[in-house]
Amino acid sequence: MSCYIAAYGLISALGEGRDASAEALLAWQAEGITPLTRHNQTLPDGRLTPVGRVEDALPEIPAALVPYASRNNRLLLVALAQIRPALDKALAEFGPARVGLVLGTSTAGIGEAELAIAAARRGAVIPPAFDYRQQELGSPSEFLSRYLGLEGPAYTLSTACSSSARAFISGQRMLAAGLVDVVLVGGADSLCGLTLNGFDSLESLSCTLCQPFDNGRQGINIGEGAALFLLSRQPAPLALLGAGESSDAWHISAPHPEGVGAEAAMQMALAQAGVTPEQVGYINLHGTATRLNDAMESQAVHRLFGDKVPCSSTKPLTGHTLGAAGAIEAALACLLLERALPLPPQQVTTPDPALAPIRLVSGATRLAAPRILSNSFAFGGNNVSLLFGLSPS
């Protein structure tokens, strides 16, 4: 079932909102300027790693909802403000019981918990604003539901880096089942020591700008941000045309080496939309710049698309925003569709001869077909592919 995108909003290292994000995409296309190089995070051993930090001022959490006062939820408020008119219209038309909410995250308020634990270890007073509920994975959806006064289904998904992409599938199913008339989907993640040190311990964190699909790639840079979408059955210019999901059940952190599950998710999205691989105009690759992800994803894409469809990873622009990555990259796909922007290039210095041949974007390239496939692949072999396009109506 196609479902329509009534509105969407985003914030990331690219900037706040669609205009700032579009300008940053154009700067990357024209001059190779990436906001990911503005900030470095110090690791415990003194090394520095680039991070995609949000620079914009964030709104405060209302006093009545202080137990949910995390950076994650403040990022969500920025994205929410951008779609508030469309959401208020839906609430007036359908009522709060007919509005659903599904969000994805992998950190919730862990950053706030880290500060509280550090204070306790020093023998200092734990910050009075800290509340355990900030770090619960259900916090984002519980917070937004209370903030908006929603009465429909509301929950959070946490499937690592596919979390907010999977929220689209749950929202699509809510609409198809008639449980709601509109559904708010998306996700948020914020920078914290847990994820930085965790990926570093896995030897998957790069201390230079990440280089997806380059022979010298060393791993990911971590970012933060949020994106929200209002999905509806009512026609709108943009649509979620199809969605696919799969599970490798291969390894707790490594993907299937041949990308079998990734390919299955992409095939499912195309089949649901009723389109062929040749009808896709661009693929936003998961493209983490780890040795294993890029190797398996290039194989999966090559088997399905050959080297015909332009593709690239936008993670050198935003950093890997983990649980928010699927939603943020979906928002970038929508920007490319509605504004006919040039496709983000993949700046490869040294091609990796071991990778399957795919058509990485170089130079000024524009969409040849109004459909974009966005991939999100997670720990545990949790794979999601979403196909966005201009409305078929």
Side-chain angles (χ1 to χ4, degrees):
M1 163 193 152
S2 292
C3 57
Y4 299 95
I5 298 170
Y8 69 99
L10 74 159
I11 182 170
S12 72
L14 287 171
E16 177 183 334
R18 286 175 286 179
D19 289 343
S21 300
E23 289 173 8
L25 282 172
L26 287 171
W28 173 246
Q29 195 279 335
E31 305 170 38
I33 297 174
T34 171
L36 195 59
T37 58
R38 291 179 190 150
H39 299 282
N40 286 303
Q41 186 79 23
T42 304
L43 298 170
D45 61 3
R47 287 174 299 137
L48 299 177
T49 179
V51 292
R53 187 182 302 281
V54 168
E55 297 179 322
D56 305 86
L58 303 180
E60 295 299 326
I61 302 296
L65 295 171
V66 164
Y68 302 98
S70 66
R71 184 169 177 84
N72 251 34
N73 291 340
R74 295 171 70 198
L75 288 165
L76 283 171
L77 286 181
V78 176
L80 177 66
Q82 298 166 42
I83 65 170
R84 194 62 191 264
L87 178 59
D88 286 346
K89 181 180 177 182
L91 282 167
E93 182 175 356
F94 301 115
R98 298 293 298 173
V99 178
L101 172 65
V102 189
L103 300 177
T105 191
S106 66
T107 64
I110 289 175
E112 283 72 22
E114 289 174 349
L115 294 175
I117 292 169
R121 282 186 167 181
R122 293 193 308 269
V125 176
I126 292 176
F130 174 69
D131 190 289
Y132 181 81
R133 282 170 285 186
Q134 294 164 0
Q135 71 176 24
E136 291 184 320
L137 290 173
S139 173
S141 54
E142 188 173 345
F143 163 67
L144 270 195
S145 182
R146 291 173 180 265
Y147 180 81
L148 294 167
L150 303 183
E151 299 171 8
Y155 58 94
T156 304
L157 295 167
S158 189
T159 55
C161 305
S162 64
S163 300
S164 57
R166 189 166 289 279
F168 280 87
I169 296 177
S170 294
Q172 182 191 52
R173 288 173 178 164
M174 274 192 197
L175 288 171
L179 295 174
V180 295
D181 292 298
V182 294
V183 58
L184 192 61
V185 303
D189 252 328
S190 45
L191 291 166
C192 63
L194 177 72
T195 49
L196 282 160
N197 297 328
F199 277 98
D200 189 39
S201 70
L202 291 172
E203 299 181 347
S204 297
L205 190 69
S206 177
C207 287
T208 59
L209 181 65
C210 65
Q211 298 175 282
F213 304 96
D214 192 282
N215 193 45
R217 66 190 185 278
Q218 299 175 20
I220 74 172
N221 303 135
I222 294 180
E224 65 179 356
L228 289 172
F229 293 73
L230 188 64
L231 303 184
S232 170
R233 298 190 198 91
Q234 297 178 327
L238 294 169
L240 172 63
L241 303 176
E245 57 184 338
S246 70
S247 176
D248 292 348
W250 174 261
H251 187 274
I252 191 170
S253 60
H256 190 285
E258 297 175 2
V260 173
E263 182 181 6
M266 290 187 285
Q267 286 178 325
M268 188 183 298
L270 297 181
Q272 189 180 93
V275 303
T276 65
E278 295 76 19
Q279 292 174 304
V280 174
Y282 169 66
I283 305 169
N284 186 319
L285 300 165
H286 187 56
T288 59
T290 60
R291 306 303 298 183
L292 296 180
N293 176 89
D294 292 6
M296 78 83 183
E297 189 172 15
S298 65
Q299 289 185 66
V301 169
H302 177 74
R303 286 195 299 271
L304 195 53
F305 298 93
D307 59 357
K308 305 300 182 185
V309 177
C311 51
S312 64
S313 167
T314 51
K315 287 183 172 64
L317 287 162
T318 62
H320 190 348
T321 56
L322 306 178
I328 289 173
E329 290 167 22
L332 297 182
C334 289
L335 268 180
L336 294 172
L337 285 162
E338 71 177 359
R339 301 199 179 192
L341 298 174
L343 300 178
Q346 198 73 76
Q347 297 189 351
V348 174
T349 303
T350 306
D352 184 347
L355 297 183
I358 56 177
R359 187 183 167 189
L360 295 174
V361 176
S362 62
T365 305
R366 295 185 180 272
L367 276 175
R371 299 171 197 87
I372 292 177
L373 189 70
S374 187
N375 287 338
S376 297
F377 306 136
F379 280 178
N382 196 300
N383 308 299
V384 177
S385 288
L386 304 173
L387 185 67
F388 298 96
L390 298 181
S391 173
S393 60

